[in-house]
């Protein structure tokens, strides 16, 4: 598998070289339908944006090769927000005011998406978030949708899995006190784990950007847990797990979709690790098999969930365009509410808050042919 870090570098260079593709954005201009995109293509979570953009471009290429949508070609206008909420706002304003976009896919993290969701609602811009799981994001209004399940469901999945499948009775949690994503997962994990009869024996926190977690891990070790929940993004989790194992904490570790990319950023210390996710690349579902094969042929690596979610976002918009016969934000948001179909990340409908109703999977990190690989473990239905 190609290094995800290397992939991110390649895509960033490509963005600079393909200037013609990323200029001028009207939702429907002549024979082209242009869609705005906001991704972290650089910064600490660049792997998310790179994978998502790859999935979006794969879907656009497929749709265009099949004749486009209503005879028109799709085109992406992409911007890098570096995983910064402030920069998300800046690039959002550029897409809307300079490029005249009223349909945007992005951003990837909850904090970045939350920073632009109210703006999108106020300006009647259709915002389709691929992977922002914070519950409040779609509360901005009826122009804001997401393709991923939300934190309460994902945190609940982690708590139930730890209690019922792993058989754990004593859980410890180490979470980022300044990250809404991390806090939301922790809170819902705790509820589900305790409702199942377990006890959270330690809940320690740290601040965004911290590198040394030994003081918190010493307290966790003293609490003697039989599972440790780590609700954060892959780069931070990789640091934590190395220190956790060094302290002799050899329990199973459990996390969420932010772990995607960890196998390229950590070593064997992440074995006996499990995380909730939006799809399993080793699924035998025909849609998944076709998607994974096409992605690997195009990009030389196995797609993580952010690629699958980005891919599904394009097909959701395409289906809404076909159903409504239009490309404007208002028509598309009305058509999206009637969605009832099968996509790579599952069978999907939207609830009244424009959150998808679909299953989650649990993946286990194992070693195959000398390489770390996430493999399907179980499915949890809504």
């Amino acid at each position: 598998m190609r290094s995800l870090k290397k992939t991110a570098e390649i895509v960033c260079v490509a963005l600079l070289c393909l200037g013609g593709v990323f200029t001028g954005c009207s939702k429907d201009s002549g024979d082209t339908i242009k869609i705005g995109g906001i991704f972290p293509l650089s910064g600490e979570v660049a792997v998310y944006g790179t994978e998502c953009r790859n999935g979006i471009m794969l879907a656009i290429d497929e749709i265009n090769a099949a004749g486009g949508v209503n005879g028109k070609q799709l085109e992406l206008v992409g911007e890098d927000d570096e995983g910064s909420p402030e920069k998300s706002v800046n690039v959002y304003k550029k897409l809307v005011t300079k490029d005249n976009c009223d349909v945007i896919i992005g951003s990837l993290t909850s904090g970045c998406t939350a920073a632009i969701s109210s703006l999108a609602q106020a300006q009647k811009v259709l915002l389709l978030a691929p992977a922002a799981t914070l519950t409040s994001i779609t509360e901005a209004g009826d122009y804001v949708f997401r393709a991923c399940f939300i934190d309460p469901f994902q945190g609940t999945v982690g708590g139930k899995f730890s209690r019922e499948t792993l058989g754990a009775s004593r859980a410890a949690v180490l979470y980022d006190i300044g990250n809404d994503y991390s806090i939301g997962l922790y809170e819902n994990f705790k509820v589900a784990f305790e409702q199942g009869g377990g006890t959270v024996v330690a809940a320690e926190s740290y601040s965004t950007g911290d590198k040394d977690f030994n003081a918190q891990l010493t307290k966790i070790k003293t609490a003697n847990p039989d599972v440790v929940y780590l609700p954060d993004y892959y780069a931070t989790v990789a640091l934590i797990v190395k220190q956790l194992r060094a302290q002799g904490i050899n329990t199973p570790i459990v996390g969420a979709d932010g772990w995607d990319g960890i196998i390229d950023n950590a070593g064997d210390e992440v074995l006996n690790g499990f995380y909730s996710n939006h799809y399993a690349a080793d699924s035998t579902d025909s849609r998944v098999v076709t998607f994974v094969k096409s992605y690997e042929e195009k990009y030389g690596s196995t797609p993580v969930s952010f690629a699958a979610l980005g891919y599904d976002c394009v097909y959701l918009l395409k289906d809404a365009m076909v159903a409504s016969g239009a490309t404007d934000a208002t028509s598309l948001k009305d058509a999206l509410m009637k969605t009832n179909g099968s996509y790579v990340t599952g069978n999907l409908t939207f609830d009244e808050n424009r959150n998808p109703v679909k299953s989650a999977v649990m993946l286990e990190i194992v070693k195959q042919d000398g390489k770390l690989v996430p493999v399907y473990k179980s499915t949890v239905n809504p």
Side-chain angles (χ1 to χ4, degrees):
M1 183 188 297
R2 176 190 293 164
S3 165
L4 290 176
K5 181 178 180 182
K6 184 66 175 176
T7 301
E9 293 171 352
I10 292 170
V11 171
C12 287
V13 172
L15 283 171
L16 296 176
C17 296
L18 297 175
V21 174
F22 297 95
T23 58
C25 175
S26 61
K27 58 187 177 296
D28 190 342
S29 177
D31 294 329
T32 302
I33 302 169
K34 296 187 178 182
I35 300 170
I38 302 175
F39 325 98
L41 295 169
S42 57
E44 291 190 357
V45 292
V47 66
Y48 299 164
T50 302
E51 288 275 327
C52 183
R53 182 187 176 278
N54 286 351
I56 288 171
M57 290 307 303
L58 176 61
I60 287 176
D61 288 348
E62 290 176 354
I63 292 168
N64 287 344
V69 181
N70 300 329
K72 298 185 179 184
Q73 298 282 285
L74 299 180
E75 190 171 335
L76 175 69
V77 182
E79 294 288 346
D80 178 12
D81 68 3
E82 301 177 29
S84 162
E86 180 180 356
K87 291 180 179 178
S88 301
V89 172
N90 291 337
V91 296
Y92 166 86
K93 289 179 178 178
K94 175 188 177 295
L95 288 171
V96 173
T97 60
K98 182 178 179 180
D99 301 321
N100 301 314
C101 290
D102 72 349
V103 177
I104 295 175
I105 298 175
S107 182
L108 272 292
T109 63
S110 290
C112 288
T113 309
I116 59 176
S117 58
S118 294
L119 288 172
Q121 179 64 31
Q123 296 174 322
K124 295 185 178 180
V125 172
L126 178 62
L127 187 67
L128 180 53
T133 54
L134 179 66
T135 305
S136 61
I137 284 169
T138 57
E139 293 173 4
D142 60 349
Y143 280 81
V144 183
F145 291 72
R146 75 178 103 217
C148 57
F149 44 65
I150 59 177
D151 285 340
F153 178 51
Q154 189 172 203
T156 298
V157 166
K160 290 182 65 177
F161 176 82
S162 297
R163 183 73 186 104
E164 297 172 7
T165 303
L166 297 181
S169 59
R170 298 171 58 83
V173 182
L174 182 56
Y175 67 101
D176 184 344
I177 192 66
N179 185 324
D180 289 338
Y181 168 79
S182 190
I183 294 169
L185 288 169
Y186 154 55
E187 291 174 346
N188 288 282
F189 172 91
K190 183 177 187 294
V191 170
F193 191 77
E194 292 181 342
Q195 285 181 344
T199 302
V200 175
V201 295
E204 298 294 324
S205 65
Y206 53 88
S207 298
T208 305
D210 283 356
K211 305 296 183 184
D212 186 348
F213 309 93
N214 281 292
Q216 296 95 320
L217 291 170
T218 296
K219 295 179 181 178
I220 285 174
K221 184 177 181 180
T222 300
N224 193 32
D226 48 19
V227 68
V228 178
Y229 189 57
L230 302 173
D232 208 333
Y233 305 128
Y234 68 92
T236 301
V237 173
L239 291 174
I240 292 173
V241 176
K242 186 169 288 188
Q243 295 173 36
L244 180 147
R245 298 303 192 207
Q247 287 221 23
I249 303 172
N250 297 314
T251 66
I253 50 175
V254 177
D257 62 337
W259 282 31
D260 249 4
I262 197 168
I263 60 172
D264 290 287
N265 292 272
D268 287 358
E269 63 271 11
V270 295
L271 292 172
N272 204 20
F274 307 84
Y275 63 100
S276 53
N277 213 344
H278 306 270
Y279 99 120
D282 59 342
S283 168
T284 57
D285 181 276
S286 61
R287 288 173 294 272
V288 175
V289 172
T290 299
F291 164 70
V292 171
K293 182 175 183 293
S294 297
Y295 189 98
E296 289 177 340
E297 289 175 350
K298 187 174 180 68
Y299 298 109
S301 61
T302 301
V304 300
S305 67
F306 298 97
L309 288 164
Y311 182 88
D312 278 356
C313 281
V314 177
Y315 274 98
L316 281 164
L317 289 174
K318 178 250 185 185
D319 291 346
M321 290 174 189
V322 171
S324 66
T327 60
D328 64 281
T330 300
S331 296
L332 293 181
K333 64 104 171 171
D334 291 341
L336 280 174
M337 283 303 297
K338 301 174 184 177
T339 297
N340 187 352
S342 296
Y343 298 87
V344 169
T345 58
N347 297 319
L348 187 152
T349 60
F350 286 105
D351 66 17
E352 66 277 8
N353 295 313
R354 298 158 305 285
N355 298 315
V357 179
K358 61 180 181 179
S359 302
V361 298
M362 290 298 300
L363 304 181
E364 178 179 6
I365 300 172
V366 301
K367 206 160 190 179
Q368 294 179 352
D369 300 323
K371 296 181 180 179
L372 295 174
V373 180
V375 300
Y376 173 80
K377 180 70 175 180
S378 63
T379 297
V380 181
N381 295 313

